[in-house]
Amino acid sequence: MPNEALGKAVDVLVRSRHAVALVGAGISAESGIPTFRGPSGLWSNAQRLEAFDFGRFQQNPEDWWENILSQWGQMWSLFWQTLEAAEPSLGHYALAELETLGIIKHVLTQNVDGLHQKAGTRSLTELHGSFRNFRCVRCGTRSPIGDFIEQLAPALVFKQFPPRCSQCQSVLKPDAVFFGENLPSDTLHSFALHSALTDCLLLIGTSAFIRYVVEVAQDVKSYHGALVEINPEKTALTDICDIVIPAAAGTVLPEFVVRIRGLSA
Ligand code: OAD
């Protein structure tokens, strides 16, 4: 691990007033959850990608549910089982510890797996929703999937199909944000708030493929905030980062904790 970059990052973090972590699938790869891109990524199958298109859902939600269950029901059940069984990685735990130490003020995660909460992070925005919920696209109500699903494995069995909103009776959609769907307004609000406040953005395990991730990093940079990247691979943002640590989140974040604790000892 590059010692100099690590030391610089710790320095910047300790001096920051509102350090924010913007996290992607890489941190959960160490919990056994596949990432989205790359040869074995979840989106390596183009048909699967099409299935989670917001326009398709909006056209006919009932049909969307029928199709998704007949074509992808088994995969979905397997994926949910994987997420239910997953445990936080060393990176998730270290991030929660950095919050307790007063260093990280907020986590903006693109992951839907719930592992940040499981590790103890409190100040969190799940930008792309949560696999544990369904959401009403008309009135915004979120409901736990357990209210609608009898059984996850070996196959999905619904108590109520298609699932309907308890408030307005519209057909619910998985809370996870689909392709072509805007982020829900409460999520956007929290994202805008913490992005505007941050003077140090830690980019952890994200390929920075999503446009708003690139934009927020560019904004932080233009306001003279620091950009720190933790990712074993080069990304769309590596070239504009102030500090790049090309290593795994589960190695780098615990090292931050050790060094920061060492400063106050
Ligand atoms: P990607 O799959 O695009 O990228 C994962 C990144 O994690 C890559 O840059 C890897 O190099 C890096 N990585 C892998 N192992 C790592 C490790 N141990 N430590 C640190 N980094 C590691 O995933 P995201 O950038 O999260 O959106 O993808 C962003 C969004 O695109 C997802 O939230 C999803 C997808 O479409 C929705 O589903 C709405």
Side-chain angles (χ1 to χ4, degrees), residues 37 43 49-58 128 135 137 173 176-184 209-212:
R37 297 177 180 81
W43 297 152
L49 220 141
E50 272 175 34
F52 295 95
D53 180 84
F54 188 54
R56 281 195 169 198
F57 177 84
Q58 275 189 312
H128 294 163
R135 174 167 43 86
V137 291
K173 152 185 184 297
V177 172
F178 282 10
F179 293 100
E181 182 182 8
N182 290 329
L183 301 192
F209 187 85
I210 303 273
R211 188 169 42 94
Y212 69 74

Side-chain angles (χ1 to χ4, degrees), residues 24-26 30 35-37 43 110 128 177 205-207 231-233 248-249:
E30 293 175 74
T35 58
F36 291 93
R37 297 177 180 81
W43 297 152
Q110 298 168 84
H128 294 163
V177 172
T206 177
S207 61
N231 195 318
E233 307 289 334

